């Protein structure tokens, strides 16, 4: 949808505008990239070869309604979800707020989604040749066994998604972030590892990633990396939204409860990415998310340690056509510094 379309959507309630965008994209009305990606943008996440390093973050397409449209728009990979085993309405509206002056968004959606079955059905009929589509899995708010919900998601979508992201870092499901603590995380990843081992006994393996918050305490980075390596995960996405509120926010919505994303998250999430890069020391792939709105932002994440990046909130202000602008700028920056691939630039501060 061109930039003028994005401006027109700002006349609507943010959630209504988003839903309208998804419907339009699913109907084939979005932008389409007509040329091949510059080879300098290609990268790898585990076994996944990506045509470019710029991906769509989870949250945009919760129900896997428009992944092919977003791949055609130029994203190197698309992550759908968060999806939970059972459909749930999420938190009461209003729950999505544009902080226009700050180029930011606050959301407290609460994993609203249609559940695993329709999600799986849509993935089952997608043309796999269109590109890489991942599934971001979560737990129902009222579940009696949240870890079991993640296992259910992994098992139901195995063979349908090209990779999985285990989302334990949304601030909008009470108690969910407690799964980032050492004992809880080891239990979760241990049960997922058992389920994964059974699945790959009869089918091909795919990467499994962990998505973390930017609001981690001292020492938590080390314990998370240890758990990820111990249980055989392939990558970490750094980061989800923040519950903090950086100084200088101007919008009247700045005090709303929920996770803050967009431009104000860039500094915090990149700092956390750099910490994970220091601790992981190349032993696990890192994907940078949070605050990306330009090629310069994407390049900063790569130089901080990311082999690929994801964005979402910036499209609320610029529309899906932003992806082409970011890729052109990123390719130019890589070449200007003498890199012939994204991989060469990872962690080169």
């Amino acid at each position: 949808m061109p930039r003028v379309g994005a401006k027109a959507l700002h006349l609507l309630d943010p959630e209504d505008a988003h839903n309208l965008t998804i419907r339009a994209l699913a109907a084939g009305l979005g932008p389409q990239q007509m040329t091949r990606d510059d080879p300098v943008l290609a990268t790898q996440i585990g076994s996944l070869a990506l045509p470019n390093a710029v991906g769509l973050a989870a949250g945009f397409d919760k129900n896997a309604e428009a992944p092919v449209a977003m791949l055609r728009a130029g994203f190197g990979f698309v992550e759908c979800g968060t999806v939970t085993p059972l459909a749930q309405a999420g938190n009461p509206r209003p729950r999505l707020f544009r902080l226009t002056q700050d180029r930011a968004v606050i959301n407290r959606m609460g994993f609203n989604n249609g559940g695993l079955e329709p999600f799986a059905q849509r993935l089952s009929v997608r043309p796999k040749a269109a590109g890489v589509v991942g599934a971001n899995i979560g737990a129902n708010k009222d579940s009696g066994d949240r870890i079991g919900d993640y296992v259910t998601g992994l098992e139901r979508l195995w063979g349908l998604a090209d990779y999985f992201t285990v989302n334990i870092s949304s601030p909008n499901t009470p108690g969910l972030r407690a799964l980032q603590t050492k004992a809880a995380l080891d239990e979760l990843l241990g049960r997922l590892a058992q389920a994964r081992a059974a699945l790959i006994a009869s089918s091909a393996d795919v990467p499994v990633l962990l998505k973390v918050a930017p609001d981690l305490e001292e020492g938590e980075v080390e314990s998370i990396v240890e758990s990820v390596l111990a249980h055989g995960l392939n990558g970490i996405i750094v980061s989800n939204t923040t519950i903090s509120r950086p100084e200088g926010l101007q919008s009247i919505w700045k005090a709303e409860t929920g996770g803050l994303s967009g431009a104000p998250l860039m500094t915090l999430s990149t700092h956390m990415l750099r910490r994970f890069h220091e601790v992981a020391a190349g032993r696990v792939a890192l994907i940078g998310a949070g605050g990306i709105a330009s090629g310069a932002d994407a390049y900063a994440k790569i130089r901080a340690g990311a082999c690929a990046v994801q964005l979402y909130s910036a499209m609320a202000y610029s529309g899906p056509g932003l992806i082409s602008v970011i890729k052109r700028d990123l390719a130019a920056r890589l070449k200007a510094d003498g890199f012939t691939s994204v991989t060469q630039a990872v962690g080169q501060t």
Side-chain angles (χ1 to χ4, degrees), residues 105-117:
V105 173
I106 289 175
N107 93 82
R108 51 173 180 263
M109 305 297 285
F111 284 176
N112 59 303
N113 72 103
L116 271 176
E117 290 310 313

Side-chain angles (χ1 to χ4, degrees), residues 33 37 51-57 60 67 69-79 130-132 309-312 315 319-324 326-327:
Q33 178 175 295
D37 284 321
N52 74 74
V54 185
L56 177 63
F60 180 82
M70 299 312 286
L71 289 167
R72 288 173 178 163
F75 282 99
F77 59 110
V78 169
E79 188 168 311
V132 170
V309 301
Q310 291 179 321
L311 63 93
Y312 165 18
M315 290 196 300
L322 176 65
I323 179 62
S324 296
I326 289 177
K327 290 194 299 183

Side-chain angles (χ1 to χ4, degrees), residues 272-328:
M272 191 58 61
L273 171 64
R274 195 170 287 112
R275 284 285 296 119
F276 271 94
H277 177 66
E278 292 169 357
V279 174
R283 294 175 294 170
V284 64
L286 301 175
I287 295 86
I292 295 172
S294 67
D297 294 337
Y299 192 41
K301 297 284 191 188
I302 292 167
R303 298 291 289 260
C307 65
V309 301
Q310 291 179 321
L311 63 93
Y312 165 18
S313 295
M315 290 196 300
Y317 298 100
S318 301
L322 176 65
I323 179 62
S324 296
V325 177
I326 289 177
K327 290 194 299 183
R328 281 197 302 270

